[in-house]
Amino acid sequence: MSQFTQGLEKVLQGDYLDIILRGIKMTLELAALSWLLAMVIALSLVVIRLTNHKVAVAAVAGYVSYHRNIPTLVQLMLWYFGISSLFPYELQMWLVDQNAEFIFAAIALGLCQAAYFSEDIRSGMRAISSGQTEAARALGFGYLRSMRYIILPQGIRNALPSLINHTILLFKNTSLAMAIGVVELTYATREVENYTFLTFQSYLVCTLVYLFFSLLLMFCGAIFAKKLNKVYAR
Amino acid sequence: MIIFSKVNKWYGEYQALVDVNAEVKKGEVVVVCGPSGSGKSTLIRTVNRLEDIQGGQILYNGHDVYGVDSNLNTLRSRVGFVFQNFNLFPHMSVLDNITLAPTKLKGLNASYVKTKALELLDMVGMSHKANAYPNQLSGGQQQRVAIARALAMEPPAMLFDEPTSALDPEMVGEVLSVMKSLAKEGMTMMCVTHEMNFAREVADKVWFMDAGRILEVAEPETFFQNPTHPRAQSFISDIRA
Ligand SMILES: Nc1ncnc2c1ncn2[C@@H]1O[C@H](COP(=O)(O)OP(=O)(O)OP(=O)(O)O)[C@@H](O)[C@H]1O
Ligand SMILES: [Mg+2]
């Protein structure tokens, strides 16, 4: 037992702690950036799809099914090794200077998650009665404004539970970015393990950190949902 | 104020409006009645283009509703429309339901809009619920708020599509009395309703519709005592029965 705690102490101090903390920071940054990207794309996809324009609907459906049916890991690789090589040389060089693996990881995760978010919001919107759109239109709100003030806020509220679940999924999926060299928490943990051979302790710390943040997200989501529900008292 | 000329509308093969010619004059209250499926909702919804027409013309306050130059959203913002199911926005307080359109669409000053909204709420007897949310209100209360919401855009005319049909009987009166006071103030109104007492007391004209046509236009007294068209006669004996 004491050997175990000594190991744990070792992992949690000095350079090793430093590596883990930097990993946590990277994980959080990656999650935040890709979440933001995903949300912006998802909202656009929803609005595009709701135009009911044939081409637009098909394009969005294609986007969603592509991203839901290809493993996220493959998409990460595709962006980092594949698509980036199609860029002009100068841009490639510039990206390398700018921490390319982080940028491509955020793009790949964001694009992928956008597919889930947009489906969440879409089904949240389906629960809204058509009378809401009619009332908005009758008051003189055009398509975009009725979306913005009347339909989307209700759709997001309805979608909140699944959005929270998928946010947690996104948070966990950031660990895949280690495959293209992003030094996030999982990558950092493996480094610490390589230096210390304290496999169990290293991954225990890692597990607890993921657990902590996932629970935190769930908790915040629950509070947010509760607040909304109080407001809309059903 | 609202002039229908030779209005024709089809839902696919089915002709829902047939050569409708009629006029709602400024300050008039018109009650549209007729059996279910006769086209009352369709007709009233063509005025703000919730339904399109395939033939004829509708003039609203001098504007050609289906004219190429008419801006649809501006037009709609000038038509007060009240739905059977209220359709209040559930994610907003009563006050926000009313102030949303004037602030976002007219760009009016927020505090001015709020003052006006509170006056309207007072008028419909709902100022004590300004901060409540729609699902905390009864149906009758929701409908009164919906009327205030439509009035907030200061429309020259108000359209009602069966405003009391979704209400429990004990709540019908409160909504009708708001409509009566509106009529008294000289508001131009077109109301689809089955409330024949309202028609008798308030309407200047009753339009009777059947199978997409306006079969009879009459003053309420005449319409209820001596309807001329046989369909109107049987309609009235049905509601008496
Ligand atoms: N979207 C639609 N598609 C096809 N047919 C429709 C549509 N809306 C209405 N109709 C048909 O048009 C006719 C007129 O309908 P409308 O809703 O105007 O009747 P109404 O007089 O308002 O009846 P109610 O008293 O039941 O409300 C009906 O026969 C109805 O079936
Ligand atoms: Mg109807």
Side-chain angles (χ1 to χ4, degrees), chain A residues 132 134 137-138 149 231-232, chain B residues 45 76 88-89 91 105 133:
Chain A
Q132 291 291 308
E134 283 204 333
R137 293 311 188 83
Y149 296 115
V231 163
Y232 302 134
Chain B
R45 287 161 61 89
R76 282 174 171 162
L88 291 180
F89 305 133
H91 60 302
L105 296 177
Y133 280 80

Side-chain angles (χ1 to χ4, degrees), chain A residues 124-145:
Chain A
M125 309 248 277
R126 241 183 272 151
I128 303 171
S129 84
S130 62
Q132 291 291 308
T133 314
E134 283 204 333
R137 293 311 188 83
L139 282 169
F141 287 93
Y143 178 73
L144 285 177
R145 281 172 162 181

Side-chain angles (χ1 to χ4, degrees), chain B residues 36-37 39-42 44-45 84 161-162 192 194:
Chain B
S36 180
K40 308 178 297 290
S41 297
T42 307
I44 202 170
R45 287 161 61 89
Q84 182 174 351
D161 188 4
E162 303 205 18
V192 175
H194 296 296

Side-chain angles (χ1 to χ4, degrees), chain B residues 62-92:
Chain B
H63 298 278
D64 183 357
V65 172
Y66 292 83
V68 276
D69 56 333
S70 76
N71 180 324
L72 184 54
N73 294 325
T74 314
L75 171 99
R76 282 174 171 162
S77 71
R78 292 184 183 141
V79 184
F81 201 99
V82 176
F83 296 88
Q84 182 174 351
N85 297 313
F86 339 125
N87 293 336
L88 291 180
F89 305 133
H91 60 302
M92 293 177 192

